[in-house]
Amino acid sequence: MGGATAPRERQTFGGESLLVRYANFVKLPHTVFALPFALLGVLVASRQTALTWRTLGLVVLAFACARFVALGFNRIVDRQLDARNPRTRGRELPSGRLTLRQAWVAVGVAAAAFLATAWALNPLCFALAPLALAFISAYSYAKRFTHWSHLWLGLADGIATPAGYLAVTGRWSEPWWLLPVGALAVTFWVGGFDVFYALQDEEFDRAERLESLVVRLGQARAILAAKLSHGLALVGLVLFGIGAGLGIAYYVGVAVGAVLIAWEHRLVPMGS
């Protein structure tokens, strides 16, 4: 499989302790980049239901566990593909830094912890938790049969916004469309960036007969699709703010996000 001397993937910790290897297995620090999706739902819910430190802590723990399950399961499913891809062959499983058994044990523990935190939050969260785990885990197979795997990944992150809201309130939102719009805004946000991420693997994906918008459309049109996706994300964020009755600070944040998106799009070449 390449041996323990395979070079590490970028943005990982140094060291060979089991804890470090597990953290690198799912790029654990990257949790902070996706956690705001859940905290946005928590923030809106706190305007209706008092937020306690216990609930906030459980939300953070649940999100971290769910992300560990999703990324860990993805690494397990893709381990043979990762071993053949020069960009990913240094990951923990193909490099041999973690065994398959160690990976499964960690994912199983994270899944159990996620279900336990959902149970501790409220009955609705506990009832929905298995469905959430199934959906975010199934993403790992998406590139094998659909070009729209980017949106599947986006929605896997996007459900964190309704989840954060439900964790605090234990009931659906008013207006009813608020949570679906919040989820879709994140779906398009993440989906657009995942198209960019897929650009670097176009040649490999074609050779392995994997699906993506880059493979389907070519780089130039896939980048245009990412621009459209991000435009829809910004519309969704504005609608979410209106439905939630959020103030000027929220829209300033959306405007800053729009500027950052525009800047990042300028960094991506249009391709061929």
Side-chain angles (χ1 to χ4, degrees):
M1 296 294 287
T5 60
R8 292 183 182 276
E9 193 176 15
R10 290 178 295 178
Q11 299 177 340
T12 55
F13 293 115
E16 292 296 337
S17 71
L18 185 59
L19 183 61
V20 166
R21 283 179 280 154
Y22 274 137
N24 290 338
F25 177 50
V26 296
K27 291 192 174 180
L28 192 62
H30 287 201
T31 303
V32 301
F33 298 118
L35 184 59
F37 303 147
L39 296 182
L40 180 59
V42 170
L43 173 65
V44 172
S46 68
R47 294 159 60 90
Q48 306 172 28
T49 303
L51 176 64
T52 66
W53 285 106
R54 174 184 179 274
T55 297
L56 181 60
L58 287 172
V59 168
V60 173
L61 179 59
F63 184 87
C65 290
R67 185 183 177 278
F68 195 106
V69 171
L71 267 292
F73 186 73
N74 180 261
R75 297 294 193 254
I76 291 171
V77 170
D78 283 353
R79 65 190 185 278
Q80 293 178 342
L81 290 172
D82 287 343
R84 295 195 291 271
N85 188 338
R87 184 179 64 82
T88 59
R89 63 175 54 141
R91 286 176 175 173
E92 275 55 44
L93 284 177
S95 70
R97 290 189 177 93
L98 281 180
T99 66
L100 184 58
R101 181 178 182 276
Q102 288 173 322
W104 274 119
V105 168
V107 169
V109 169
F114 174 72
L115 294 174
T117 54
W119 176 83
L121 282 165
N122 58 61
L124 181 57
C125 286
F126 185 57
L128 294 175
L131 297 177
L133 283 182
F135 183 80
I136 63 178
S137 298
Y139 157 73
S140 298
Y141 296 100
K143 286 185 70 172
R144 289 160 172 81
F145 64 85
T146 177
H147 297 105
W148 298 97
S149 57
H150 317 285
L151 294 184
W152 193 321
L153 174 63
L155 187 54
D157 276 333
I159 59 176
T161 299
Y165 183 97
L166 297 176
V168 177
T169 64
R171 63 182 184 276
W172 200 252
S173 64
E174 287 292 341
W176 68 267
W177 51 265
L178 178 65
L179 296 186
V181 165
L184 286 174
V186 176
T187 297
F188 290 123
W189 181 286
V190 174
F193 284 118
D194 194 56
V195 173
F196 289 163
Y197 194 75
L199 292 172
Q200 61 191 325
D201 284 336
E202 179 185 9
E203 183 178 343
F204 178 81
D205 288 349
R206 290 187 187 278
E208 294 289 336
R209 301 195 179 195
L210 297 173
E211 309 285 359
S212 75
L213 283 183
V214 179
V215 170
R216 174 68 175 177
L217 303 177
Q219 289 192 13
R221 288 193 291 174
I223 290 172
L224 288 176
K227 292 179 184 291
L228 175 61
S229 182
H230 283 153
L232 292 172
L234 293 172
V235 171
L237 288 172
V238 170
L239 290 175
F240 184 80
I242 293 172
L246 298 177
I248 187 65
Y250 172 80
Y251 295 104
V252 170
V254 172
V256 171
V259 171
L260 291 175
I261 285 178
W263 176 68
E264 292 188 12
H265 276 257
R266 288 179 61 87
L267 299 178
V268 179
M270 283 302 294
S272 57

